[in-house]
Amino acid sequence: MKEKEKNSIVGQLLTLDLFAMICGYYFIDTINMFVKRQEWWYDLLVVLIVICEIVYNWLQLLNYKKKIPNLVVILTSITLSAILSGIYIGVIWGNIQSKQSYQNNVFLAAIWICMLVIGNIVLWNRYKKNN
């Protein structure tokens, strides 16, 4: 049971990271498409679907609230870091496509990705410490 629980936590956490980054990317893409007066509702639909998946992963991870101290705070930090990472990746990609400078955004994206990795490490260490 313990190995299955570890795999479940790791899987849910990685899925949360991935979908939160996708949410950030498509959020900025939706805004760009809206500003350009292009078909933005497809991107908005992706954002809404991905938000549902994020909520589902949160609910699954909250089952371990008793085993991981400050789980809600850590999950909030991880989710926001992943969303902001996705946003900056989207901005960088948009700047590359329009041949604009993107070096400042690379630095900010790297900061948020580091915060995401740190949040994941903190959550995992708290889980291992209490189990």
Side-chain angles (χ1 to χ4, degrees):
M1 179 65 182
K2 187 132 175 138
E3 190 66 30
K4 184 178 179 184
E5 183 177 276
K6 284 182 184 179
N7 291 338
S8 177
I9 290 174
V10 169
Q12 291 294 330
L13 192 57
L14 292 176
T15 305
L16 175 68
D17 293 345
L18 176 69
F19 280 107
M21 289 181 82
I22 291 170
C23 179
Y25 175 84
Y26 276 99
F27 175 76
I28 199 70
D29 197 47
T30 302
I31 292 172
N32 288 337
M33 296 295 251
F34 182 77
V35 168
K36 294 176 185 176
R37 299 186 194 282
Q38 295 177 348
E39 295 181 354
W40 54 271
W41 53 87
Y42 296 118
D43 292 335
L44 182 61
L45 182 62
V46 171
V47 170
L48 295 175
I49 291 169
V50 169
I51 287 173
C52 292
E53 184 64 31
I54 290 170
V55 169
Y56 173 77
N57 283 311
W58 257 72
L59 294 174
Q60 293 299 313
L61 285 166
L62 286 177
N63 291 331
Y64 304 103
K65 192 174 182 180
K66 293 179 181 172
K67 297 182 178 190
I68 304 172
N70 298 326
L71 179 64
V72 174
V73 174
I74 297 169
L75 282 179
T76 303
S77 170
I78 288 171
T79 305
L80 290 176
S81 297
I83 289 172
L84 287 168
S85 298
I87 287 173
Y88 279 106
I89 290 168
V91 169
I92 291 167
W93 183 246
N95 286 350
I96 288 171
Q97 288 180 325
S98 62
K99 299 184 187 330
Q100 294 177 349
S101 176
Y102 58 88
Q103 285 78 14
N104 294 338
N105 293 323
V106 169
F107 177 71
L108 293 170
I111 288 173
W112 287 111
I113 290 170
C114 288
M115 292 294 291
L116 175 63
V117 170
I118 290 168
N120 285 316
I121 291 170
V122 166
L123 188 136
W124 186 247
N125 285 339
R126 292 214 177 165
Y127 172 75
K128 284 190 341 188
K129 181 180 175 183
N130 291 323
N131 292 302

